[in-house]
Structure formats: C-alpha cells, structure tokens
Amino acid sequence: MAKYYVEMFYSDGTSEEDDNLFDTEAEARAHGEYLCSCYHTGGEILHMSNPGDYPLDEDDDVDFEVYETDD
C-alpha cells in the first residue's frame, strides 16, 4: 500500500525529508502546510525576541512537495 511523505525546500537551497508517513496525499499536504506555518511563526518569534540577531527577511521562504513511496 502506498504511503506519502513531505519534503521541505528552504530558500537557502537546502531540503529536508520529514520522517512522518501518511496514508493519504491530503494528510501529507496538510502536514506540509502545517510545517510551513510553523517555520514562519518561528521566524517571527525569533525576530520579536531579538530583532538585532534575527531580522525579518522577506525573501526567506519555505515550500514543500508531497511524494509517494511504497513503504
């Protein structure tokens, strides 16, 4: 039975595969959207805690893709 996983792509050119496997593509897509939201919220919190060390970068972004696997 096919499973789905999420790979995150960051604006600095790096990527990271999430360890979670999902039964449906919709579940994996919802998880990817959640991870993007967490990334942006984390950046805002760091900026609020110390703007000098963590300036907001409007070009800093994250995206994701959902892939099917046979695991």
Side-chain angles (χ1 to χ4, degrees), residues 1-67:
M1 185 167 146
K3 298 280 188 175
Y4 298 88
Y5 70 95
V6 174
E7 184 171 4
M8 304 301 293
F9 297 97
Y10 302 99
S11 58
D12 66 356
T14 60
S15 65
E16 177 182 20
E17 286 184 18
D18 189 71
D19 294 334
N20 296 309
L21 291 176
F22 300 92
D23 293 328
T24 67
E25 185 176 356
E27 291 174 331
R29 185 160 305 286
H31 183 68
E33 291 169 354
Y34 170 75
L35 292 176
C36 287
S37 175
C38 290
Y39 181 84
H40 290 294
T41 301
E44 291 172 4
I45 291 170
L46 285 173
H47 175 70
M48 288 188 297
S49 71
N50 191 345
D53 286 342
Y54 303 104
L56 281 181
D57 182 0
E58 297 299 324
D59 294 330
D60 187 22
D61 204 9
V62 63
D63 199 8
F64 70 94
E65 287 289 328
V66 173
Y67 296 102

